Amino acid sequence: MPGPMATLLFPLATLFFTLTLTQGLQTPNCNFLDHGSTLQVLHVNSPCSPFKPKTPLSWQDSVLQMQSNDKARLQYLASLLAAQRSIVPIASGRAVTQNPTYIVRAKIGTPAQTLLMAIDTSNDAAWVPCAGCVGCSTTTFDPAKSSTFKPVACGATQCNQVPNPSCGGTTCGFNLTYGSSTVAASLAQDNITLATDAIPSYTFGCIQKTTGTSVPAQGLLGLGRGPLSILSQSSSLYQSTFSYCLPSYKSPNFSGSLRLGPDSQPKRIISSTPLLKNPRRSSFYYVNLMGIRVGRRVVNIPPSAFAFDPNTGAGTVFDSGTVFTVLVKPAYTAVRDEVRRQMGSATVSSLGGFDTCYTIPVTVPIITFMFSGLNMSLTQDNLLIRSTAGTTSCLAMAAAPDTGVNSVLNIIASFQQQNYRVIIDLPNSKLAVARERCS
C-alpha cells in the first residue's frame, strides 16, 4: 500500500492494540472463515487487516482522531439526509464515510478477483476502484480480465438511481466534486460472490479517478435499504434479511460476522423493534427510541428528543460507520448528568469531545436504550473507552451538533453495538438485537 493509506482508514482500535500485544496473546489466524452465507467481518485495524496503521498512535491521539472522524461521518450523514435523490453512493466533501470501520471479503468478476470491501449500513451502492484508476490504491478490480463484466447503458433504470448521471458516450457515469475530494466513476455490472453465494449482474460503481482521502482503499459494499443495495439486488436470494455482529475493540482478532439471508439467522425468538421508513432517505435504518435508563432510573428526557420526522430527518438510526453513539443535546445532557450523579464524588475530567472522563478505574451504571418492544442494555465495554493503562476512562457517547440536520438525529453507533447481533428483517420491517460474543 502507498504511504497515504494509513490515513485512509479509521485508526479506531489503536488505543487497544498495544494492550492486546502485551497480553501475550497468540498470533491470530488470518485465514478468512467465510462459509455458506456468512462472511467474516474484520475491523480495519485488526492484526489481519492490510489497512492497520504501521505505527500505532498514542491513546490520546487515537481518541482525538476517532472523534474527528466521527465529526466527518456526521457531515456525511447530514449530506445524505439533505439530498433530494434517494441514492448517494459516494461520500461528499470531507466526510470520510468512507473509511468505515469494518471490512469483508468479496469476489468480483469471472474469474473472481478478491477485494476487501468496507461495509456501510447507511449506504446503498457498491463501488470499487477499477484498473487504471487515478488516485486509487494499488489493489483494483480489472474489468478487462472478467468475461462477465459489462457497462450500464445511459438509458438503464440504474442510471437514474445515482446523482447527476452523465453520458459522454453510451455508458452511464458520474463525475462529482465534494469539497477537497472528487470521484469520477461509471456504472457497471458483474458477478459478485459473497462467501459461497453468487449474485449475477450486480450493479456497482467502477471508480476511474479520485482525489483526496474519502474512498475506502478497496471499495464499499452498501448494506442500506435503497434500490442499489445488496439487499435489493439479491432479494430473491437473501429475502432482504441480514445480520451482523461487530467485534469488541479489545479483541486480538477484531473479527465478527455478517450473515445474509433468513436461514442464517438465530432460530430462537428474540425481542425486536419496528423499522421506520424515511422516504427522503430510504437507506437509513430508523427505529423508535422511547427512553433511556441509567441504572434503575429512567432519565427525564422530552419526547421531542426522540420524535421521528421524515421531513427534518429527526429520529434514531442504527449506523455501522459512526463509532460513538450520538444523542441530541437534551437527551445526551440528561443521560450524562444522571451518570455523573450516580458516580457520586468521583472527579470528572474531559478529553477532546468526551466531557465525562475519570482518571481512576471506574464502573459506570448500566445504560439501557428503550426502544418500542426492545430494551438494549450496554455493558462496560459498550460504555467506556479506556486507556491502555486503564488509568483513564471516558463515557463513549457525545452530544449531537447544535445546528443542521444532525442536531435532531440520534445515532446508535458501532462502539455501542459491539458484541451484539443486530438483525435486519425488511419483509417484516423489524430490527432485533441479541447479545453475542463474536470477537
Side-chain angles (χ1 to χ4, degrees):
M1 295 290 175
M5 286 308 301
T7 65
L8 284 182
L9 291 131
F10 279 132
L12 299 177
T14 49
L15 65 166
F16 301 112
F17 190 56
T18 302
L19 176 64
T20 59
L21 289 181
T22 57
Q23 288 178 325
L25 297 168
Q26 295 181 347
T27 302
N29 179 359
C30 291
N31 294 324
F32 272 82
L33 304 177
D34 301 342
H35 59 90
S37 298
T38 298
L39 288 82
Q40 184 176 8
V41 174
L42 290 182
H43 191 287
V44 294
N45 290 326
S46 160
C48 297
S49 168
F51 311 122
K52 63 182 181 292
K54 294 178 180 178
T55 304
L57 300 175
S58 69
W59 179 76
Q60 180 165 318
D61 286 345
S62 293
V63 171
L64 296 176
Q65 185 154 1
M66 282 189 274
Q67 293 174 330
S68 175
N69 286 333
D70 259 5
K71 184 180 293 186
R73 175 70 177 183
L74 294 182
Q75 293 171 356
Y76 167 71
L77 295 179
S79 75
L80 294 185
L81 285 163
Q84 296 302 309
R85 287 180 173 267
S86 62
I87 299 297
V88 182
I90 308 296
S92 66
R94 295 170 59 191
V96 195
T97 5
Q98 322 312 12
N99 309 350
T101 319
Y102 298 97
I103 54 177
V104 296
R105 183 175 65 170
K107 297 178 179 180
I108 302 177
T110 308
Q113 302 174 43
T114 300
L115 294 171
L116 296 177
M117 301 176 71
I119 58 173
D120 188 346
T121 58
S122 295
N123 203 305
D124 292 334
W127 34 276
V128 301
C130 284
C133 174
V134 177
C136 291
S137 71
T138 54
T139 300
T140 59
F141 168 69
D142 189 349
K145 294 181 179 178
S146 173
S147 62
T148 46
F149 177 88
K150 58 183 178 181
V152 172
C154 289
T157 301
Q158 296 92 330
C159 194
N160 294 321
Q161 295 170 342
V162 295
N164 306 314
S166 61
C167 284
T170 59
T171 301
C172 181
F174 44 96
N175 191 334
L176 302 175
T177 301
Y178 300 104
S180 61
S181 298
T182 61
V183 175
S186 59
L187 274 184
Q189 289 184 335
D190 208 332
N191 300 339
I192 184 171
T193 300
L194 302 175
T196 58
D197 295 332
I199 302 168
S201 301
Y202 187 74
T203 302
F204 61 94
C206 189
I207 302 174
Q208 299 162 339
K209 182 178 181 180
T210 182
T211 63
T213 58
S214 352
V215 180
Q218 295 183 25
L220 180 140
L221 186 66
L223 291 173
R225 56 195 299 190
L228 284 184
S229 74
I230 186 71
L231 298 182
S232 296
Q233 294 197 54
S234 63
S235 58
S236 61
L237 178 61
Y238 297 132
Q239 298 174 43
S240 298
T241 301
F242 74 100
S243 71
Y244 57 87
C245 187
L246 302 179
S248 167
Y249 292 107
K250 293 190 292 186
S251 164
N253 295 318
F254 301 115
S255 176
S257 64
L258 170 66
R259 297 178 180 175
L260 300 166
D263 293 342
S264 301
Q265 307 313 324
K267 302 305 179 190
R268 62 187 178 89
I269 299 175
I270 56 178
S271 299
S272 63
T273 189
L275 283 169
L276 309 176
K277 192 165 186 179
N278 180 348
R280 293 190 62 199
R281 178 43 46 196
S282 59
S283 59
F284 284 9
Y285 293 108
Y286 277 93
V287 291
N288 184 14
L289 179 60
M290 303 180 69
I292 299 176
R293 190 169 62 225
V294 176
R296 296 182 178 181
R297 182 175 181 180
V298 177
V299 183
N300 185 18
I301 299 171
S304 59
F306 303 134
F308 174 60
D309 186 342
N311 292 321
T312 64
T316 302
V317 299
F318 271 71
D319 178 50
S320 66
T322 308
V323 185
F324 300 118
T325 285
V326 173
L327 299 174
V328 299
K329 201 163 188 178
Y332 174 75
T333 300
V335 169
R336 176 202 64 192
D337 290 351
E338 182 59 23
V339 169
R340 290 180 178 181
R341 188 189 71 79
Q342 293 189 29
M343 290 298 292
S345 60
T347 301
V348 176
S349 60
S350 63
L351 176 63
F354 292 129
D355 62 7
T356 303
C357 299
Y358 299 93
T359 55
I360 58 173
V362 295
T363 299
V364 297
I366 291 173
I367 294 178
T368 302
F369 294 131
M370 303 165 67
F371 303 102
S372 174
L374 168 69
N375 285 347
M376 180 180 179
S377 296
L378 305 178
T379 69
Q380 298 300 298
D381 285 346
N382 297 106
L383 290 173
L384 292 175
I385 184 166
R386 303 178 190 268
S387 66
T388 50
T391 54
T392 301
S393 300
C394 296
L395 182 64
M397 297 182 188
D402 288 328
T403 59
V405 174
N406 284 318
S407 66
V408 295
L409 184 66
N410 301 289
I411 302 171
I412 310 301
S414 64
F415 192 88
Q416 279 64 46
Q417 294 179 46
Q418 63 185 355
N419 281 323
Y420 277 99
R421 180 156 299 279
V422 178
I423 303 166
I424 305 292
D425 180 351
L426 286 182
N428 294 302
S429 193
K430 65 182 182 181
L431 179 149
V433 177
R435 261 286 165 194
E436 179 179 326
R437 298 297 298 181
C438 60
S439 299

